[in-house]
Amino acid sequence: MGERQTYPIPDKLLESIDTGILLVSNDNTIIFANDNAARIWGGPTPGLVGRKLDILFPTGTDILPCTFGENLTNVALCPSGVSGGKVCRSTTENHHHLTLLRHDGTAFSAEMSVARVEGAGQQVFVISLRDVTRDLSRREQDLQYATIVQRNACGILILDSQCRITYANAAAARFSGIGAEGMEGADFSAFLSGQQGDLVTLQAFRRRLQRCRPFELEIHSRTDTGQDIWLLATVTPLCSPYEELHEVIVVLNDITGSEQIKALQKDMMGALTSNLSFNEILGLMCRQIERIAPDVVTQIVVVDDEQRMHPVARARLPAQIAEVCADLQIGPEVGSCGTALFTGREVVTPDIEADPKWKGFWQFVIPHGLMACWSVPILLRDGRVGGSLAFYFRAKRAPGRWHRRIADACLHLCALAIEQQRSREDIARLTQYDTLTGLPNRTGRRHGIRQRAARARHENLAGPDHQPRCGSGPSITDWDARQATCCWLRWPGGYPVSFPVMICWPAAGETNSP
C-alpha cells in the first residue's frame, strides 16, 4: 500500500514486543504493524500498512489527529460528523479498553495505549494493542460469581489456616452475632451461640479440619438480634499435597425450621407415650405449632360416626369460635373444617368474609381478627377422615411453605393420637360390656354405680350424711345394693357416658322399699 516509511524505532525491537504494535503518522496512516498486531487484527501484515487507522474502529467513528499535553497522550475518538471544533470523548489514560474490528468485521475488546516518539525530525505515534476479550469475559464472570456469592441465601465464609474469617457474604453476617463490621479477622468460634455445648462443637470442627476432607457439622448460633438459630455447616478444607491447611470454605444453611419441627415431633412422640389425655396431647400440639409459627392460630376437630365435628384442641383460638363448631354437621359448604372433613381434601380460604362456604359463620370469626383459614383433613390408616387441622391467619392470605411443612409434620401425629384414643375407647368398652349381649358386665355395673354416686354428690343431691339416696328411702349404705342396671350412652366423639338406674333391695330386717 505504498513505499515503506522510515521511523526512529528499529524493526527488530518492535517485532520482539509481545503485544500488537502499530506506528501511525500524523494523518492517522498506519506505517508499521508487527506480527502480533496482524494476528490480533486477523489479517496479513501488508493489509494494515498504508491503511488509515479507522479500519480498526466501528463504522461511524472518526479518528482525529492526535494531540498531546505535557505528560499525557490523548487519542480523540468522535462519532462521525461531530468533529470540527466540538468536544469529543477521548482516552485520557495510557490504557483504555475499546471495541475494535478484526479483518473479517467481528468485534473484539482491546486494551490500547498510545505514545509519541520523535526522532530525526519525524514524529510517530506508537499504539500498543492487546486483545482482552477473554480477560474481560473472565472478569465479568468473576463479577457475576461474586454477586451470586454475596446475594446467596446461604452464608459463605472463607477462613485462613488459623480459622480466622477472611471473607463473609451478607447472609453469613446475618447469621452471626457480631454483624458485618466485625466479621473480617474474627475467629470462626464467633458463629457459636456461647452456650455450654459450643466447646464440644468447636473441638469437633478443628479435629475434623486436620483430616483435610470435606465434612458437615451442625452449629447452634445466635443472630445479632439475639435469636437462636441452627446452621448446617458444609466445610471444605483446601490443603497442600502434604495435607497442610491453607484455607477453608464454609457454606452455612439455616436449618432452624427443620430443628424446630424435629423438636415438635419429639415432644409429641413423648406425649403420645405418656399418660396425658387425648385433649391434652392435641392441645400441646396446638401450642407448639403457634410457638414456631406465631402468625397462626390453630384448632383441631374430630368427626364422629354421625358425621358431626367436635373441637378437641386449641391454643389461642377464642372459645366462642370453638363452641360454634361443636356438634356441627359436616358438609360441602360448612366453613373450611366442615368442608375438609366432608371432601377429604384441604380447603384454603384466603378471605373468610368473601367465601360462600363461610356464609352464616364468618360473623363469629371476623370480630376476633381472623381473616383467613386453611384446613387440612387428618387421614387415618384405613383411609377414613378422622379430623382436621386448621390454621387461622390474621391477614387475608394463603398458607406459606413454612406452614405446609409444619402441617405435614403434624398430620400423621394427629392421626396417631386419634387412633390411639379410639383404641383406648375400644379397650374400655371391652372391659365394661359383654361382647355377646352388648350389656354392661360386672365391671361396667360397678363403674356405673360409682359414677352415679359421684354425680349425686356433685349435683348436691345427697342427704345430710352426704350419701346419695334412692328416692326418699334409706341411703345406699342402709340398703343392700345387690344389682344395678345402667343405661349407657355414647357422646358424639365416641366417649361412653353412663346413666345408671339402681335397683336396691332392703338389707335384712328392713321393710321399707325405695
Side-chain angles (χ1 to χ4, degrees):
M1 303 280 308
E3 295 184 5
R4 181 180 178 88
Q5 301 185 34
T6 60
Y7 36 82
I9 305 177
D11 286 359
K12 292 183 178 180
L13 175 61
L14 297 176
E15 290 292 352
S16 65
I17 299 175
D18 59 359
T19 59
I21 298 295
L22 299 175
L23 299 185
V24 182
S25 64
N26 281 333
D27 62 354
N28 291 335
T29 300
I30 300 173
I31 58 177
F32 174 82
N34 68 355
D35 291 341
N36 286 328
R39 190 177 303 110
I40 293 173
W41 183 56
T45 301
L48 276 174
V49 177
R51 303 283 295 273
K52 293 293 184 180
L53 187 62
D54 57 6
I55 66 170
L56 295 176
F57 292 88
T59 303
T61 302
D62 286 343
I63 308 302
L64 301 182
C66 299
T67 59
F68 299 91
E70 295 181 358
N71 298 311
L72 183 66
T73 301
N74 300 307
V75 178
L77 304 177
C78 299
S80 179
V82 180
S83 56
K86 295 187 178 181
V87 177
C88 302
R89 177 174 59 87
S90 64
T91 64
T92 56
E93 298 179 359
N94 280 344
H95 296 278
H96 191 74
H97 292 158
L98 301 171
T99 299
L100 303 182
L101 296 179
R102 300 186 193 276
H103 179 259
D104 58 3
T106 59
F108 70 99
S109 296
E111 185 179 79
M112 179 176 173
S113 62
V114 181
R116 181 181 61 179
V117 179
E118 295 183 359
Q122 183 182 7
Q123 75 173 10
V124 295
F125 303 107
V126 181
I127 298 178
S128 173
L129 293 176
R130 189 168 69 90
D131 187 350
V132 293
T133 305
R134 290 184 178 180
D135 294 342
L136 292 180
S137 177
R138 192 177 302 114
R139 189 178 304 172
E140 184 177 353
Q141 287 183 351
D142 291 343
L143 181 61
Q144 291 176 347
Y145 295 151
T147 302
I148 292 173
V149 169
Q150 184 65 17
R151 297 183 179 180
N152 202 296
C154 299
I156 299 177
L157 298 174
I158 298 178
L159 313 179
D160 62 14
S161 59
Q162 303 300 316
C163 296
R164 292 186 296 262
I165 300 171
T166 59
Y167 172 80
N169 69 347
R174 288 196 306 270
F175 292 156
S176 72
I178 57 179
E181 298 78 9
M183 291 290 291
E184 188 172 351
D187 191 82
F188 178 72
S189 60
F191 272 83
L192 303 180
S193 63
Q195 296 186 357
Q196 186 174 1
D198 289 345
L199 181 59
V200 176
T201 302
L202 186 60
Q203 290 174 342
F205 175 78
R206 295 186 182 277
R207 183 174 62 253
R208 298 178 71 175
L209 273 182
Q210 296 174 357
R211 302 174 186 173
C212 285
R213 295 186 183 91
F215 62 92
E216 291 184 346
L217 190 69
E218 289 189 3
I219 298 173
H220 184 197
S221 185
R222 183 169 292 150
T223 65
D224 52 2
T225 60
Q227 178 185 358
D228 287 327
I229 59 173
W230 283 93
L231 302 172
L232 178 63
T234 303
V235 184
T236 304
L238 303 179
C239 300
S240 70
Y242 305 101
E243 295 190 350
E244 295 178 350
L245 183 65
H246 292 315
E247 283 187 320
V248 184
I249 299 175
V250 182
V251 180
L252 302 168
N253 286 283
D254 187 356
I255 58 170
T256 304
S258 299
E259 292 298 318
Q260 288 176 330
I261 289 179
K262 284 181 183 178
L264 184 150
Q265 291 174 323
K266 181 179 179 181
D267 291 342
M268 292 308 303
M269 291 304 297
L272 287 169
T273 56
S274 69
N275 59 355
L276 293 177
S277 68
F278 176 63
N279 298 73
E280 290 173 332
I281 292 172
L282 295 184
L284 173 63
M285 175 175 289
C286 291
R287 292 192 297 274
Q288 293 282 55
I289 291 174
E290 293 180 5
R291 181 180 62 83
I292 64 177
D295 59 334
V296 163
V297 177
T298 58
Q299 181 186 32
I300 300 175
V301 300
V302 296
V303 62
D304 61 19
D305 295 336
E306 297 178 356
Q307 300 299 291
R308 293 184 178 275
M309 57 180 176
H310 307 278
V312 292
R314 59 186 175 86
R316 295 197 303 262
L317 186 75
Q320 298 90 323
I321 298 177
E323 291 170 0
V324 173
C325 302
D327 205 34
L328 196 63
Q329 187 77 35
I330 67 173
E333 300 291 330
V334 185
S336 299
C337 291
T339 305
L341 291 170
F342 183 81
T343 61
R345 294 189 296 270
E346 72 170 56
V347 176
V348 179
T349 307
D351 187 352
I352 289 177
E353 190 173 4
D355 197 305
K357 291 189 292 295
W358 280 83
K359 184 179 180 181
F361 303 106
W362 65 264
Q363 60 269 27
F364 299 102
V365 177
I366 297 297
H368 295 282
L370 302 178
M371 311 302 294
C373 181
W374 173 48
S375 185
V376 189
I378 301 169
L379 301 180
L380 306 181
R381 284 180 295 180
D382 57 8
R384 292 183 300 164
V385 178
S388 72
L389 172 63
F391 286 14
Y392 290 88
F393 302 95
R394 299 191 183 278
K396 296 179 180 180
R397 56 163 300 171
R401 185 171 61 178
W402 175 234
H403 304 122
R404 291 187 176 275
R405 284 186 63 189
I406 295 173
D408 289 342
C410 293
L411 286 173
H412 76 283
L413 295 171
C414 292
L416 284 175
I418 293 173
E419 290 176 345
Q420 183 186 71
Q421 176 61 20
R422 293 187 175 184
S423 298
R424 288 175 178 173
E425 293 174 359
D426 291 340
I427 293 173
R429 187 165 48 252
L430 290 174
T431 60
Q432 298 184 18
Y433 286 86
D434 183 77
T435 57
L436 182 61
T437 64
L439 298 175
N441 56 22
R442 181 180 299 176
T443 303
R445 289 196 296 270
R446 289 175 179 171
H447 179 69
I449 292 173
R450 286 194 295 268
Q451 278 191 328
R452 180 67 178 86
R455 185 177 298 109
R457 287 192 297 269
H458 178 71
E459 296 175 357
N460 200 23
L461 297 180
D465 55 355
H466 301 288
Q467 295 295 332
R469 304 285 185 178
C470 287
S472 59
S475 67
I476 291 180
T477 55
D478 299 328
W479 292 85
D480 184 10
R482 298 178 182 177
Q483 185 175 358
T485 301
C486 299
C487 298
W488 291 81
L489 300 178
R490 290 177 61 83
W491 78 301
Y495 294 97
V497 179
S498 64
F499 295 90
V501 178
M502 293 187 292
I503 304 174
C504 303
W505 284 264
E510 294 283 353
T511 57
N512 295 331
S513 61

